[in-house]
Amino acid sequence: MTRLPETTRIARVLDIIWRISTAPNYWTRKRLAEQLEVSERSITGDLEIIRHKLRFEVKSDRGRGYYFDRIPSLPSVSYSIPEALALILAAQVGRQFAGIPQHDLSSAVARLSSAIPEELRSMVEELSIAGEGYRDTHRESILQLCSRAIAARRSMSIVYSAASHDGQETSRRIDPYAVFPYVRSWHVVGYCHLREDVRIFKIDRVHRAKVLDIPWEPREEFDLAAYLSSGWGIIRGIDAPVEDVVLRFLPPSSRWVAEERWHGSQRVRPNDDGSMLFQVRIQVTPEFQRWVFRYGRDVEVLEPEHLRIWMQEEARAVIAGAALSPVAELDA
């Protein structure tokens, strides 16, 4: 088993390689030491590993930062057309999540595209243009810090604004377990020392972050899929029980809902009249309530009763709000 100091150094060496590759002539020994919170002597040792063990030709001009005279390339790899298209499509999905370095993704797509037949290449190029995303440097920075902390198994200090507390900022120490995308955002899940429990944090609500020199060990073997399985999406009702939910969907919504795999526990049973019974075992969170409500008259809540009552009250509130709203007259 790898010792923690070795793991930390490996993570730091990889971080240095990434920084010098993406910003040549910027990262001096002093800047690297300050950013990575180690001594300049440690950085010198890391650079020796990069030069002599990894054989990266790292150099520096007087008064300027380090750069690579030559970066080793990966050996050429052959892909079938389906494999290449699968990788291109995956990269295009990644470009929709601001926070992933767009230059690297664009370069990867271009290289893969050059290997496929001309007939397909024009379609891939159109997809590349349509998929251009914007760059969120703050998100990139926080994601990089989270990834470094996870690799080194180090705690983080963060300043966070929780949506459930009207955006009030709190300072927290977390032990980050994993980062993952959801909808169009990134999230980090880990143990929160303030709440004394595992929590999910949206990267965009992390205003400031710092990797601490405090090692952590998981309190138990952490399984991200198992952790998320009790909820719907990523929102979890901290005090809500896991319960059986039974919904009856009417056509055409019954067909649309049956086409998707919404949750690992779901069971679907079609009826002769075109309706469909949808059963799932989860915590009934606000996210799930909104998902049910969007189907309006096409869904009937059979269980649990409190969800049925919530649906009825929400419908009444919508009707009352519509009655109070002025209706603009349309020209004939």
Side-chain angles (χ1 to χ4, degrees):
M1 182 176 179
T2 304
R3 294 195 302 268
L4 186 59
E6 294 178 355
T7 304
T8 303
R9 186 163 206 178
I10 291 170
R12 193 171 66 236
V13 166
L14 295 176
D15 197 336
I16 291 172
I17 292 173
W18 181 83
R19 289 177 185 277
I20 295 175
S21 299
T22 55
N25 297 122
Y26 174 78
W27 291 103
T28 62
R29 194 189 328 267
K30 182 179 180 181
R31 280 178 172 165
L32 286 169
E34 290 175 349
Q35 180 66 35
L36 301 177
E37 299 176 338
V38 295
S39 67
E40 291 189 36
R41 182 176 179 180
S42 294
I43 296 298
T44 299
D46 295 338
L47 291 171
E48 289 300 303
I49 291 175
I50 293 172
R51 283 194 183 97
H52 301 298
K53 290 189 177 181
L54 301 180
R55 301 187 184 280
F56 277 45
E57 297 178 10
V58 59
K59 298 182 178 181
S60 65
D61 298 327
R62 185 181 298 273
R64 303 183 68 188
Y66 294 101
Y67 66 93
F68 289 121
D69 190 42
R70 181 183 62 84
I71 301 178
S73 300
L74 293 172
S76 59
V77 181
S78 298
Y79 296 103
S80 66
I81 289 179
E83 289 172 335
L85 290 176
L87 288 171
I88 290 171
L89 290 173
Q92 294 297 351
V93 171
R95 297 174 78 174
Q96 305 307 312
F97 291 92
I100 299 177
Q102 297 296 309
H103 173 76
D104 295 337
L105 279 178
S106 298
S107 176
V109 170
R111 287 176 179 270
L112 286 169
S113 301
S114 65
I116 63 177
E118 183 66 34
E119 295 81 3
L120 289 173
R121 196 176 306 163
S122 60
M123 297 179 66
V124 171
E125 289 172 353
E126 291 180 11
L127 180 63
S128 298
I129 295 173
E132 289 291 345
Y134 71 94
R135 183 177 183 185
D136 189 329
T137 54
H138 173 75
R139 186 185 286 183
E140 286 184 21
S141 174
I142 301 299
L143 278 172
Q144 179 186 338
L145 288 173
C146 289
S147 299
R148 183 151 57 90
I150 292 168
R153 285 200 171 181
R154 286 294 189 267
S155 295
M156 299 180 68
S157 64
I158 63 172
V159 176
Y160 189 73
S161 294
S164 58
H165 294 85
D166 298 324
Q168 180 182 0
E169 291 188 359
T170 58
S171 297
R172 309 181 185 219
R173 175 186 153 203
I174 66 170
D175 301 337
Y177 294 162
V179 293
F180 61 96
Y182 181 70
V183 188
R184 298 181 68 85
S185 301
W186 286 90
H187 299 78
V188 57
V189 57
Y191 183 83
C192 175
H193 290 263
L194 178 65
R195 304 303 182 200
E196 297 184 338
D197 198 4
V198 177
R199 290 288 192 270
I200 296 174
F201 302 93
K202 187 175 182 179
I203 292 294
D204 295 338
R205 296 197 188 110
V206 177
H207 301 294
R208 293 186 297 280
K210 181 180 180 180
V211 179
L212 304 174
D213 193 21
I214 302 175
W216 58 263
E217 290 290 337
R219 285 151 180 78
E220 57 186 20
E221 191 65 28
F222 181 75
D223 186 326
L224 180 61
Y227 176 75
L228 294 176
S229 64
S230 65
W232 183 267
I234 65 167
I235 297 179
R236 303 173 78 246
I238 302 304
D239 299 319
V242 175
E243 54 191 324
D244 292 315
V245 176
V246 183
L247 309 174
R248 179 172 176 263
F249 285 93
L250 301 177
S253 295
S254 56
R255 295 193 299 273
W256 303 335
V257 173
E259 288 174 353
E260 300 290 342
R261 185 67 176 174
W262 301 94
H263 193 267
S265 67
Q266 82 177 49
R267 289 180 292 166
V268 173
R269 192 184 73 193
N271 297 320
D272 293 338
D273 61 359
S275 66
M276 178 265 293
L277 281 182
F278 179 90
Q279 296 176 274
V280 68
R281 184 169 175 77
I282 59 166
Q283 292 178 316
V284 177
T285 62
E287 187 174 9
F288 180 72
Q289 290 174 316
R290 289 192 295 270
W291 180 79
V292 176
F293 192 75
R294 65 186 279 199
Y295 290 100
R297 68 179 66 185
D298 283 354
V299 63
E300 177 186 2
V301 178
L302 302 181
E303 296 180 28
E305 183 179 3
H306 69 84
L307 178 59
R308 180 168 62 250
I309 293 173
W310 178 87
M311 285 280 289
Q312 293 169 350
E313 293 175 346
E314 197 73 5
R316 292 191 191 101
V318 171
I319 294 171
L324 293 174
S325 301
V327 179
E329 293 185 2
L330 300 178
D331 292 334

